[in-house]
Amino acid sequence: MEVTADGCFVDVYRLLPPQGEPEIVHAAMPPSASILELGCGTGRVTHPLAELGHEVVAVDDSPAMLAHVRAETVCARIEGLDLGRTFEAVLLASHLINTPRDDDRRALLAAARRHLAPAGRLIVEWHPPEWFDGVASGQGGRIGEVAVELAGVVRDGDLLSATVRYSAGGRRWDQEFTCRRLALDDVLAPADLVFDGWLTADRRWFAARAGRRG
């Protein structure tokens, strides 16, 4: 069983289909825009974006994940990434910015900012503040053939910890996580980014653009 450094199960991510993410990203940018995808996993969003006509460079720090990606790949930690080029869009999905460590968040957004073309857009998926109020143990559903259930939800101030239980084909995988409730302005401004609109009605996706520095 292959597990990444941050506790993700490669077998699970190979089974999970996209859930509308490629269409959200595609609608937020010009046709054929170049995309830097930060934290691509096994390519479940990468591949549909390429099929929609985008040139995608996919970044992950797991060789086991990248082995399944059919696109240009870079094996590296996001925080230290510097490709020496910019993109019309930078994608930061999977709620990565809700990491509990402020230093890690600042490094993620700095990496996104330095790869963003002057007129480019940063596309972000996050847990909005209202999600923290409503989430509870026992919530779940299905993503393709994978059953998903949330267990052991614990709140501690702005932090929320829980376990995601995945099951498929008689197998089960438990993945623990901790995330932080964020105020959007406090997150974007230090990274020289400005809010550029909600991309979904539930406010789980938003866009940002480069600020005036640089």
Side-chain angles (χ1 to χ4, degrees):
M1 181 183 298
E2 293 178 304
V3 183
T4 65
D6 60 353
C8 296
F9 296 95
V10 177
D11 287 349
V12 171
Y13 281 80
R14 291 183 63 191
L15 293 174
L16 296 174
Q19 289 192 292
E21 300 96 336
E23 290 76 16
I24 292 169
V25 176
H26 178 67
M29 65 189 69
S32 304
S34 59
I35 302 173
L36 177 64
E37 183 183 1
L38 301 176
C40 65
T42 58
R44 69 184 189 90
V45 176
T46 315
H47 301 148
L49 285 173
E51 291 168 3
L52 287 166
H54 298 283
E55 176 191 352
V56 185
V57 175
V59 178
D60 206 283
D61 66 354
S62 168
M65 290 283 198
L66 290 176
H68 303 283
V69 178
R70 302 183 304 274
E72 180 182 347
T73 61
V74 177
C75 187
R77 288 184 56 82
I78 297 170
E79 295 87 340
L81 187 70
D82 191 348
L83 300 179
R85 56 188 285 204
T86 59
F87 297 79
E88 294 168 275
V90 176
L91 174 58
L92 192 60
S94 300
H95 320 104
L96 290 176
I97 71 164
N98 289 102
T99 176
R101 290 176 52 85
D102 293 336
D103 288 348
D104 291 344
R105 183 179 312 104
R106 284 191 287 266
L108 289 173
L109 290 171
R113 172 65 179 85
R114 64 177 163 263
H115 291 94
L116 197 61
R121 282 185 118 186
L122 172 62
I123 310 299
V124 181
E125 181 187 20
W126 75 327
H127 289 307
E130 55 268 28
W131 177 86
F132 288 80
D133 298 326
V135 68
S137 297
Q139 292 178 342
R142 298 192 70 86
I143 305 176
E145 64 184 277
V146 182
V148 183
E149 182 182 359
L150 204 60
V153 173
V154 176
R155 292 175 171 84
D156 181 10
D158 287 337
L159 296 177
L160 185 147
S161 299
T163 299
V164 184
R165 291 177 173 166
Y166 302 98
S167 58
R171 302 176 66 190
R172 196 180 95 172
W173 305 263
D174 288 357
Q175 182 176 347
E176 298 178 353
F177 71 92
T178 298
C179 55
R180 183 179 295 279
R181 183 196 299 256
L182 302 171
L184 198 54
D185 289 344
D186 293 342
V187 170
L188 295 180
D192 188 31
L193 294 163
V194 293
F195 179 71
D196 195 38
W198 301 110
L199 302 180
T200 57
D202 61 7
R203 303 204 315 162
R204 287 182 55 224
W205 289 83
F206 67 87
R209 292 190 183 273
R212 295 184 178 182
R213 297 201 304 268

